[in-house]
């Protein structure tokens, strides 16, 4: 998400930019918008209306979970996304509009959808749009995991021994 100089040719520019933008992306009920090189604002759809998520209780683990749900292997959380202005996080200080749908979202990293994360009831929040969640997803986009599909297997366990 943060880019950087190539290490193999330090004085030669490679790729479109040393400072790539965080990717805007969406599913039917979740999206990342107003992206810049550092962060995007997370929005969720509830009752056919898009709204924001408050950053109370949100962590890097929650961000990584959201990014996995959007098809990216990594994610990072940026607190107070919309108050950073055009020189900081969210693009040109664009605060979210509309309802604040979720607050105190806490994910463990194993959820298959955002509803599986712990949170206050939809629409019940203690924040303003200054506290909209900011996330940057990174890595190659693909099917990080297929929700609803399980793979069978065996688990081997040896007490106090290394598995080889």
């Amino acid at each position: 998400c943060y880019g950087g100089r190539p290490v193999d040719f330090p004085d030669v520019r490679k790729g479109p930019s040393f400072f790539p933008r965080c990717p805007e992306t969406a599913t039917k009920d979740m999206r990342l918008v107003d992206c810049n090189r550092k962060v995007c604002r997370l929005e969720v759809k509830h009752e056919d209306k898009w709204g924001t998520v408050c950053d109370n209780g949100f962590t890097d683990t929650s961000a990584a979970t959201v990014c996995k749900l959007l098809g990216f292997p990594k994610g990072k959380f940026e607190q107070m996304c919309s108050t950073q202005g055009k020189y900081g996080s969210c693009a040109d200080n664009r605060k979210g509009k509309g309802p604040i749908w979720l607050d105190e979202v806490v994910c463990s990293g194993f959820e298959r959808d955002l509803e599986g994360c712990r949170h206050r009831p939809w629409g019940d929040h203690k924040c303003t749009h200054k506290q909209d969640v900011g996330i940057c997803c990174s890595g190659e986009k693909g099917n990080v995991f297929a929700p609803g599909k399980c793979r069978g297997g065996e688990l081997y366990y040896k007490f106090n021994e290394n598995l080889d």
Side-chain angles (χ1 to χ4, degrees):
C1 202
Y2 296 104
R5 285 191 161 280
V7 292
D8 50 346
F9 298 99
D11 295 325
V12 177
R13 182 176 173 186
K14 282 187 174 178
S17 173
F18 287 132
F19 302 105
R21 294 178 69 83
C22 294
E24 286 196 13
T25 188
T27 64
K28 64 181 176 68
D29 57 358
M30 190 168 32
R31 66 187 182 187
L32 297 179
V33 296
D34 286 342
C35 300
N36 65 21
R37 71 175 184 85
K38 201 169 179 189
V39 73
C40 303
R41 186 178 59 252
L42 173 63
E43 293 186 349
V44 292
K45 193 175 197 179
H46 180 65
E47 297 176 347
D48 289 324
K49 189 169 186 175
W50 288 101
T52 62
V53 177
C54 185
D55 67 6
N56 293 335
F58 209 85
T59 64
D60 279 337
T61 301
S62 297
T65 301
V66 167
C67 289
K68 282 182 184 178
L69 294 171
L70 292 168
F72 291 91
K74 297 177 186 172
K76 184 165 178 50
F77 164 60
E78 187 75 32
Q79 192 167 20
M80 298 294 283
C81 155
S82 62
T83 63
Q84 302 295 320
K86 65 182 178 180
Y87 302 110
S89 293
C90 283
D92 299 327
N93 202 20
R94 293 182 206 147
K95 297 178 190 174
K97 296 177 183 166
I100 298 171
W101 280 131
L102 291 175
D103 190 10
E104 297 181 19
V105 176
V106 179
C107 304
S108 64
F110 300 103
E111 294 82 3
R112 297 292 180 157
D113 57 42
L114 194 60
E115 190 62 35
C117 300
R118 190 178 79 227
H119 58 79
R120 294 174 68 94
W122 286 90
D124 182 14
H125 62 85
K126 299 181 290 182
C127 54
T128 67
H129 282 299
K130 282 184 176 182
Q131 295 167 276
D132 289 342
V133 164
I135 294 177
C136 188
C137 298
S138 60
E140 189 171 331
K141 186 170 177 165
N143 191 5
V144 177
F145 56 72
K149 293 183 180 179
C150 298
R151 290 188 290 177
E154 295 180 59
L155 175 65
Y156 293 96
Y157 176 76
K158 291 183 180 180
F159 185 72
N160 278 343
E161 291 185 35
N162 291 330
L163 293 174
D164 294 318

